[in-house]
Amino acid sequence: MTEAILLVGGKGTRLRPLTVNTPKPMVPAAGVPFLTHQLARAKAAGVEHIVLATSYLAEVFEPHFGDGSDLGLSLEYVTEEEPLGTGGAIRNVASRLHSGPDDPVLIFNGDILTGLDIRALVATHADSGADVSLHLTRVEDPRAFGLVPTDGTGRVTAFLEKPQTPEEIVTDQINAGAYVFRRSVIDSIPAGRPVSVERETFPELLASGAHLQGMVDSTYWLDLGTPQAFVRGSADLVLGRAPSPAVPGRCGDRLVLPTARVAPDAKLTGGTVVGANAQVGEGARVTGSTLLAGAIVEPGAVVTDSLIGAGARIGARSVLTGAVIGDGAHVGPDNELRDGIRIWCDATLPAGTVRFSSDQ
């Protein structure tokens, strides 16, 4: 297998308070745009040619990645004129593939951070003779996901909607968002209209007697759909829990880019990333957080599990936990911001405006 399709979808609106003009796959995770980790892992697995199926703000990808030669890849870009769903997006780029009808094509999702053994998925596909092979992962609570039961040989037996009752939870296996398709299956997807692989393509293939093979790989897996998950994923990349050859430096408690400035007595832990030209002041403590380019954490501030946008400033002695601070925003000194709070781009929060703990 030498080529792949990378689905770079939607607007990422749940990250939108952070940045209005940058799609989620380009927001830095562990020092580089998240998409870089996806591309680097595919390259490491032997992929040479990748077609990016893009939609929202697609024009930012090609100027950054170009033809892919800097990553040792050949990249092409196809932009949807209107939303086509997962299956429609796959079909929409079929003309750019070089594979023959029986050749395997890797398809993966730009919103998923995973430790999937891509080579093992490809080997499973080849050994089983499947039409489509799916990466499956196990989750503790499958109620938020569609279920994918398999038989004793790993062959998929059904695609079940999100379970509503305990009796409907027949497996803890879910679709993890990476596949190997036989090229001819891609060409069979209806063209020019929205198609969902989960609700249409896969169930119809199963009903027709096609062979769908599941490979359970319960290594690292995280859907980056929320800001909290994005921060966690970036930290896990730095800590080495989520593997990526694109992390710019050694894995460890912190990643400080060369142009950043950190006071000698500041404490950075938990996979914290300090981006280009960012600053962390004296006595500040930053844990499991991401500071984007030019962000400033003033002396004595405490920042935990938070995402601090480019050029944003966190005032002295402010305490942030689970916060998302938009690009250019200013949180004044002596504020206390708790889990789930969002400060929009360029907003200003005056000193001592918000607190959650007692005044005592």
Side-chain angles (χ1 to χ4, degrees), residues 224-248:
L224 300 181
T226 67
Q228 288 82 1
F230 195 91
V231 173
R232 181 71 265 154
S234 179
D236 286 344
L237 284 161
V238 174
L239 291 166
R241 296 170 180 165
S244 169
V247 175

Side-chain angles (χ1 to χ4, degrees), residues 15-39:
L15 275 177
R16 198 174 176 190
L18 174 69
T19 174
V20 175
N21 296 315
T22 302
K24 180 168 50 182
M26 294 300 288
V27 176
V32 298
F34 174 68
L35 204 61
T36 307
H37 299 290
Q38 303 281 61
L39 296 171

Side-chain angles (χ1 to χ4, degrees), residues 11-22 56 227 307-314 323-331 337 340-349:
K11 301 182 180 181
T13 53
R14 286 176 287 178
L15 275 177
R16 198 174 176 190
L18 174 69
T19 174
V20 175
N21 296 315
T22 302
Y56 179 70
L307 190 55
I308 312 301
R313 179 183 290 267
I314 308 304
V324 177
I325 310 301
D327 292 350
H330 183 189
V331 175
L337 308 181
I341 196 163
R342 308 284 186 268
I343 304 298
W344 205 264
C345 294
D346 299 316
T348 297
L349 193 64

Side-chain angles (χ1 to χ4, degrees), residues 140-342:
E140 289 186 7
D141 184 358
R143 290 175 296 178
F145 304 93
L147 308 183
V148 187
T150 54
D151 66 16
T153 68
R155 188 161 180 160
V156 174
T157 58
F159 289 90
L160 306 176
E161 292 297 325
K162 296 177 182 178
Q164 303 300 310
T165 65
E167 292 74 23
E168 293 177 309
I169 302 177
V170 297
T171 181
D172 59 357
Q173 296 174 178
I174 66 166
N175 176 3
Y179 321 105
V180 177
F181 274 60
R182 190 189 303 272
R183 165 61 193 275
S184 58
V185 174
I186 295 175
D187 293 332
S188 72
I189 298 173
R193 68 169 178 85
V195 179
S196 166
V197 291
E198 299 88 353
R199 292 186 294 273
E200 183 175 345
T201 304
F202 292 157
E204 289 182 358
L205 285 169
L206 205 59
S208 72
H211 182 175
L212 280 70
Q213 186 73 18
M215 187 194 83
V216 178
D217 184 331
S218 295
T219 55
Y220 188 94
W221 184 86
L222 185 64
D223 183 339
L224 300 181
T226 67
Q228 288 82 1
F230 195 91
V231 173
R232 181 71 265 154
S234 179
D236 286 344
L237 284 161
V238 174
L239 291 166
R241 296 170 180 165
S244 169
V247 175
R250 288 185 176 182
C251 293
D253 245 4
R254 53 192 262 174
L255 172 64
V256 179
L257 295 194
T259 56
R261 289 187 293 165
V262 177
D265 64 344
K267 187 175 182 180
L268 309 179
T269 58
T272 286
V273 180
V274 183
N277 300 310
Q279 301 176 37
V280 180
E282 295 179 356
R285 290 182 287 143
V286 186
T287 303
S289 298
T290 294
L291 280 59
L292 298 185
I296 297 173
V297 174
E298 294 183 351
V302 178
V303 179
T304 304
D305 298 338
S306 296
L307 190 55
I308 312 301
R313 179 183 290 267
I314 308 304
R317 300 172 303 282
S318 283
V319 177
L320 279 64
T321 302
V324 177
I325 310 301
D327 292 350
H330 183 189
V331 175
D334 300 306
N335 280 288
E336 183 183 3
L337 308 181
R338 293 292 187 182
D339 288 326
I341 196 163
R342 308 284 186 268

